Amino acid sequence: MQYDESKFRAFFADAPADIDMALLDMARIPRHISCIMDGNGRWATARGLARTEGHKAGIVSLREIITAAVRLGVDVLSAYAFSTENWNRPQHEVNVLMHLFAKTFIDELPLLKRENVRVVFLGDISALPKRTRDVFEYGLAECKEHAGMVLALAVNYGGRAEIARAAQQLAARVVSGELSVEDIDEQAISKNLYTAGLPDPELVIRTSGEMRVSNYLLWQIAYAEFYITDTYWPDFDRWGLVRAILAFQGRDRRFGGLSSASA
Ligand code: IPE
Ligand code: IPE
Ligand code: MG
């Protein structure tokens, strides 16, 4: 995506000592960056606060990363906000999260408008509380004409559930005679995922040091590069994102072939 050079320079002025912005190759910014926003609870607990305070602080980080991604010219930013397994948390925490999702979407509409960001949801939002769903529908309609970066928010998302849903959708079309069994190829499956039409993530960032995928975008991350930082999500900022991209740009992506250097 086109990026605005002067806005980029202003947003990324005063880099910390360990970052040399001149090393960032603007021609090789990942098209799709995905964040597993983890560590909100531990961030809060470490400060003697309720876990839910960590979720509130995490929203400030998300806002910064959205702007940073737009400044960098990223096409798609996705973020894991609530998994199909997160319903197992205490009811109070789930309630606070559902309320925060709705409130944040409304609060951030001016940002999404200003930056021309289109929102899509990944996951089964029909299972969310009605109020949250209504707000999501309102917000989606408000930014559906935006033609800039896509912000894909994974809410009530599970990778396995997503693949099972795609299998059901395809099977139903075979039963109805619309599709033959041979038509079920990788492309057909991709087209039936929540991410249909979006490029696969090239870079997945997980905060808080956990070395696992937690049922996130299982199909789409086949060849994604992983970047894991010990930083808790509420402390993750534009510089953390730049560090991740610099690490990404230093990787040798072989896709099962041979290194470009040895070819
Ligand atoms: C991530 O932070 C946010 C959600 C899963 C909603 P956590 O709430 O998982 O924070 P930790 O991992 O317990 O510190
Ligand atoms: C993954 O974090 C889900 C989100 C960030 C929304 P979790 O905190 O739920 O993952 P686990 O339980 O540590 O694997
Ligand atoms: Mg966690």
Side-chain angles (χ1 to χ4, degrees):
M1 188 146 291
Q2 275 291 39
Y3 76 103
D4 181 317
E5 171 99 34
S6 66
K7 284 185 178 176
F8 165 78
R9 298 243 168 265
F11 191 80
F12 288 102
D14 307 317
D18 69 303
I19 294 179
D20 179 357
M21 287 300 285
L23 294 179
L24 198 65
D25 181 349
M26 296 306 289
R28 288 196 305 127
I29 299 294
R31 285 183 68 196
H32 180 172
I33 298 179
S34 197
C35 296
I36 302 180
M37 309 186 285
D38 200 12
N40 292 350
R42 279 164 285 164
W43 179 91
T45 306
R47 283 165 179 72
L49 301 170
R51 291 177 51 83
T52 47
E53 292 304 312
H55 298 317
K56 289 183 197 156
I59 287 161
V60 180
S61 294
L62 180 58
R63 186 187 305 137
E64 169 148 339
I65 298 307
I66 292 170
T67 309
V70 172
R71 295 290 171 268
L72 285 158
V74 167
D75 291 338
V76 182
L77 173 71
S78 54
Y80 203 5
F82 193 88
S83 74
T84 46
E85 288 73 35
N86 287 146
W87 297 107
N88 297 325
R89 298 204 176 183
Q91 190 62 48
H92 172 70
E93 183 170 339
V94 171
N95 291 346
V96 170
L97 283 167
M98 292 301 149
H99 170 74
L100 268 180
F101 295 152
K103 177 174 160 27
T104 304
F105 200 179
I106 297 296
D107 289 350
E108 302 307 331
L109 278 174
L111 166 78
L112 302 172
K113 278 187 206 237
R114 192 171 63 241
E115 302 297 346
N116 203 18
V117 173
R118 184 161 65 89
V119 174
V120 298
F121 285 100
L122 313 177
D124 180 12
I125 60 170
S126 75
L128 302 181
K130 183 166 177 353
R131 214 196 94 75
T132 309
R133 247 185 306 141
D134 289 347
V135 171
F136 280 8
E137 263 147 41
Y138 169 78
L140 283 174
E142 286 291 299
C143 50
K144 72 170 192 299
E145 307 294 341
H146 297 172
M149 186 179 80
V150 172
L151 173 65
L153 296 169
V155 180
N156 192 24
Y157 175 85
R160 287 185 170 184
E162 179 184 43
I163 294 168
R165 174 178 167 273
Q168 287 185 0
Q169 288 175 181
L170 290 164
R173 290 174 58 202
V174 171
V175 170
S176 73
E178 211 184 309
L179 206 68
S180 71
V181 169
E182 296 71 41
D183 293 331
I184 303 180
D185 55 12
E186 294 186 13
Q187 223 190 351
I189 294 176
S190 291
K191 276 191 191 154
N192 281 272
L193 300 176
Y194 292 115
T195 48
L198 302 179
D200 286 340
E202 290 172 274
L203 171 62
V204 174
I205 299 170
R206 184 162 187 156
T207 55
S208 89
E210 304 298 352
M211 304 280 184
R212 54 179 171 260
V213 180
S214 302
N215 202 12
Y216 189 52
L217 300 181
L218 298 180
W219 175 276
Q220 299 88 338
I221 60 175
Y223 268 101
E225 294 293 329
F226 271 77
Y227 178 85
I228 293 169
T229 170
D230 285 336
T231 305
Y232 293 141
W233 178 256
D235 288 328
F236 191 73
D237 61 8
R238 65 191 79 184
W239 305 113
L241 183 64
V242 169
R243 286 186 193 96
I245 297 172
L246 286 169
F248 168 87
Q249 292 184 340
R251 305 268 179 93
D252 183 14
R253 303 188 77 200
R254 290 189 288 276
F255 299 100
L258 298 181
S259 160
S260 46
S262 69

